[in-house]
C-alpha cells in the first residue's frame, strides 16, 4: 500500500515516515496543500496522511480538492489537540479518519487499518 505524507513540518513527516515505512511504501512527501494535490495526482497513493494546518493551501482545502477529483480517495487528517472545529470541516471535506499529535505508532496503524478496511 502506498501512502502520501503531507505536513509542513519536516520533523512530523520524518516521524510519520518512521512509523509507516515498515509496513507501507511512502509514495511521496508534501510540505503544503498544493504539493499534496500535485503528488496525489502524480502518484495515485492508496492513502494520504494530511496535516490540517499547512501554508499556501491547508489540509482541508487539499482534501476537498483530492476527494472531488477522486471520490474513492482515503485521507487521514493529522491534527493537534484543540482543533475540533477544523476536524469537523475536514470530515465534511472528505477525510475518513484522523490522528492526534503527538503520534503514537499503535494509534496511527490502528486508524489506517480502520480507514482502509472501512
Amino acid at each position: 500500500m502506498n501512502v502520501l505524507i503531507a505536513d509542513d513540518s519536516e520533523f512530523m513527516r520524518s516521524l510519520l515516515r518512521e512509523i509507516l515505512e515498515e509496513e507501507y511504501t511512502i509514495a511521496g512527501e508534501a510540505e503544503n496543500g498544493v504539493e499534496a494535490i500535485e503528488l496525489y495526482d502524480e502518484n495515485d497513493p492508496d492513502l494520504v496522511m494530511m496535516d490540517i494546518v499547512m501554508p499556501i493551501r491547508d489540509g482541508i482545502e487539499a482534501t476537498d480538492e483530492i476527494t472531488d477529483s477522486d471520490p474513492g480517495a482515503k485521507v487521514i487528517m493529522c491534527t493537534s489537540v484543540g482543533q475540533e472545529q477544523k476536524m469537523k470541516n475536514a470530515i465534511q471535506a472528505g477525510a475518513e479518519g484522523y490522528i492526534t499529535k503527538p503520534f503514537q505508532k499503535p494509534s496511527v496503524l490502528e486508524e489506517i487499518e480502520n480507514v482502509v478496511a472501512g
Side-chain angles (χ1 to χ4, degrees):
M1 187 167 84
N2 295 318
V3 182
L4 172 63
I5 298 171
D7 198 307
D8 58 325
S9 161
E10 168 63 39
F11 175 74
M12 285 298 169
R13 289 197 312 273
S14 66
L15 197 64
L16 272 174
R17 188 183 328 113
E18 279 179 33
I19 290 171
L20 299 173
E21 64 190 356
E22 283 178 31
E23 297 185 43
Y24 304 102
T25 302
I26 305 304
E29 294 184 24
E31 292 182 22
N32 59 60
V34 173
E35 279 184 17
I37 294 162
E38 288 171 359
L39 286 172
Y40 187 89
D41 291 342
E42 285 171 24
N43 299 317
D44 192 30
D46 303 301
L47 179 70
V48 183
M49 305 298 289
M50 181 85 72
D51 185 25
I52 287 186
V53 181
M54 293 187 291
I56 308 176
R57 297 193 71 180
D58 67 20
I60 296 169
E61 292 170 325
T63 298
D64 197 27
E65 189 160 326
I66 287 170
T67 55
D68 275 355
S69 66
D70 180 4
K74 302 220 179 276
V75 181
I76 293 176
M77 303 306 289
C78 306
T79 176
S80 300
V81 174
Q83 293 184 331
E84 285 77 13
Q85 187 53 52
K86 286 185 177 153
M87 211 40 253
K88 288 178 188 158
N89 296 347
I91 299 293
Q92 288 170 340
E96 296 204 19
Y98 69 96
I99 54 175
T100 306
K101 299 174 186 177
F103 305 130
Q104 301 295 328
K105 184 171 182 173
S107 58
V108 171
L109 297 178
E110 186 179 322
E111 187 65 18
I112 291 173
E113 289 298 316
N114 291 343
V115 166
V116 172

